Amino acid sequence: QVHLQESGPRLVKPSQTLSLTCTVSGGSISSEGYYWSWIRHHPGKGPEWIGYIHYRGGTYYNSSLKSRLSISIDTSKDQFSLKLQSVTAADTAVYYCVRMGSGYPLLGAMDVWGQGTTVTVSS
Amino acid sequence: SYELTQPPSVSVSPGQTATITCSGQELGYKYVCWYQQKAGQAPVLVIYQNTKRPSGIPERFSGSNSGDTATLAISGTQAIDEADYYCQAWDSSTAVVFGGGTKLTVL
């Protein structure tokens, strides 16, 4: 059974870079049929899709975050990472790493989620 | 940008059918998923590809999608079904979009 675990600083200062890593266990990040995604959730709102990456390196970002965002993958470590630059208080949220289907039958469906990590932007 | 609209709250009596809607322009042309999220936990996929249930999800959960509206129905609702529910759409042009969520209360 595939398991995802987020790691990284939980407190980031304004204007600095938020960095998170997701470690995949119980399966290979190089498995066909999946995108590896980041989602964030502000309290009281719907989840917000940040972006995803394929194990071959192709990425697709939320246009509203694209200018500040970078998602990378390290298949040798079964990890993928998120970097969000120039953060503000509006970037405070629970961040999840998620496995999303890239083809039939799970196309677009997020079937495995990490437990989530709360990141606070504050000085 | 593409938007999905859900009612903020739905109430249902135990044993009755709960219906949660998700509206978006031409939503019927997109794949819709539904997620259940209980307090302090990560979301769980309960419906994918509009109508399919992942392994382990009870048969009382069902989905449909046509026109501008997707619907999640929970028949024989139980107290354990009380949670927040989010719809999510995907297609190649809009990528991933989530609804604002519906709080289901089982009275």
Side-chain angles (χ1 to χ4, degrees), chain A residues 70-87:
Chain A
S70 174
I71 298 176
S72 59
I73 195 163
D74 186 339
T75 55
S76 68
K77 295 181 179 179
D78 281 321
Q79 293 179 332
F80 64 107
S81 298
L82 163 72
K83 290 189 186 298
L84 184 64
Q85 299 177 325
S86 305
V87 296

Side-chain angles (χ1 to χ4, degrees), chain A residues 39 88 98 113:
Chain A
I39 303 294
T88 70
V98 181
W113 293 64

